[in-house]
Amino acid sequence: MQSYLGITVHFINHEWQLKHFLLDLYYLSEQHTAININQALIQVLDQTKITEKLLGITTDNAHLMIAAGRELKETLNNYELVHQRCVAHILNLAVQHGLQLVSPIIKKV
């Protein structure tokens, strides 16, 4: 099995337009641990010269991604860096869990 880390960037340009694109699709050749994910993020940030411009990151709720966010703050020595969990992902998990609790009578309706 192959593992990839998709890194997207979202920013407001000098004309106050919201821009976003795929920055990198990073192949994780080693086990995807918080440390390896952090190292991949640092490498891509350094290559693209945006490390100093980074204000925050958004990840899913996987414990590895949450730990990678903490690692990134420590590595960059930037404890003001905002790490948010993706609201759409949280909402999807809640809806999927709720759908499992639906009784057969409600499914008929």
Side-chain angles (χ1 to χ4, degrees):
M1 183 168 99
Q2 295 181 344
S3 297
Y4 292 90
L5 177 65
I7 304 170
T8 58
V9 62
H10 300 257
F11 63 96
I12 297 173
N13 70 7
H14 63 281
E15 296 173 358
W16 293 98
Q17 297 170 325
L18 181 61
K19 301 290 183 178
H20 55 91
F21 57 89
L22 179 66
L23 188 61
D24 200 350
L25 188 59
Y26 192 93
Y27 173 65
L28 293 169
S29 58
E30 298 178 31
Q31 183 179 6
H32 52 286
T33 63
I35 292 171
N36 290 339
I37 291 168
N38 177 53
Q39 289 173 346
L41 288 170
I42 293 295
Q43 184 176 348
V44 171
L45 291 171
D46 287 346
Q47 285 175 348
T48 55
K49 297 179 177 35
I50 60 172
T51 306
E52 299 299 321
K53 298 177 183 180
L54 187 65
L55 299 175
I57 61 170
T58 303
T59 65
D60 62 18
N61 287 329
H63 70 280
L64 290 174
M65 295 307 292
I66 294 167
R70 281 194 302 269
E71 288 282 330
L72 186 63
K73 284 183 176 189
E74 290 177 17
T75 303
L76 297 177
N77 198 23
N78 181 356
Y79 295 96
E80 294 179 5
L81 181 71
V82 178
H83 179 199
Q84 295 291 329
R85 297 175 191 168
C86 178
V87 174
H89 187 255
I90 294 169
L91 183 60
N92 181 48
L93 291 173
V95 169
Q96 294 301 320
H97 181 71
L99 289 174
Q100 292 175 358
L101 303 175
V102 174
S103 67
I105 198 84
I106 294 177
K107 286 184 181 179
K108 279 186 175 183
V109 172

